[in-house]
Amino acid sequence: MAMGTCFGKFTRSGKFRLTITCLEFLAQYAKYKVWLKPSAEMSYLYGNHIVKAGLGRITENTPQYQGVVVFSMSDIPLGFGVTAKSTQECRKLEPTAIVA
């Protein structure tokens, strides 16, 4: 018997995997965030990468390979991600380069 919200599961190898049910709770306390333009939201939700052209904002000083929470521009949490480039590198990228 269990009560509350399921935040994740332990894998057979002992790692803990977050599930999408904890997204709203973690979004409030996330240190690193990424906001998507409306044109890139559906592409992300269908499982594609986030390209620089679809990036609305990114938290300052986000390091490379850091876990982030992905938001729409209206601050609705959409999912989890990992940055492929740091904030400083994102400024110099071409529009088709993968950010997260």
Side-chain angles (χ1 to χ4, degrees):
M1 175 178 256
M3 292 181 65
T5 303
C6 177
F7 270 54
K9 299 180 195 181
F10 284 100
T11 63
R12 292 182 183 188
S13 62
K15 294 180 182 178
F16 187 75
R17 294 275 173 126
L18 294 173
T19 58
I20 201 72
T21 55
C22 72
L23 180 61
E24 290 187 27
F25 296 101
L26 291 180
Q28 299 171 20
Y29 305 107
K31 186 174 181 181
Y32 300 112
K33 301 176 184 179
V34 170
W35 287 266
L36 295 181
K37 292 180 181 175
S39 59
E41 286 178 20
M42 286 307 293
S43 177
Y44 172 75
L45 292 174
Y46 281 126
N48 296 321
H49 294 292
I50 299 171
V51 294
K52 186 184 177 200
L55 190 66
R57 295 186 335 225
I58 187 169
T59 307
E60 282 297 317
N61 300 322
T62 303
Q64 189 174 16
Y65 307 124
Q66 179 64 47
V68 293
V69 176
V70 180
F71 288 88
S72 67
M73 288 303 282
S74 55
D75 284 331
I76 299 170
L78 301 175
F80 305 112
V82 176
T83 56
K85 304 288 182 189
S86 67
T87 304
Q88 288 76 21
E89 292 172 339
C90 287
R91 293 186 178 118
K92 301 171 190 168
L93 292 175
E94 56 197 37
T96 57
I98 295 172
V99 175

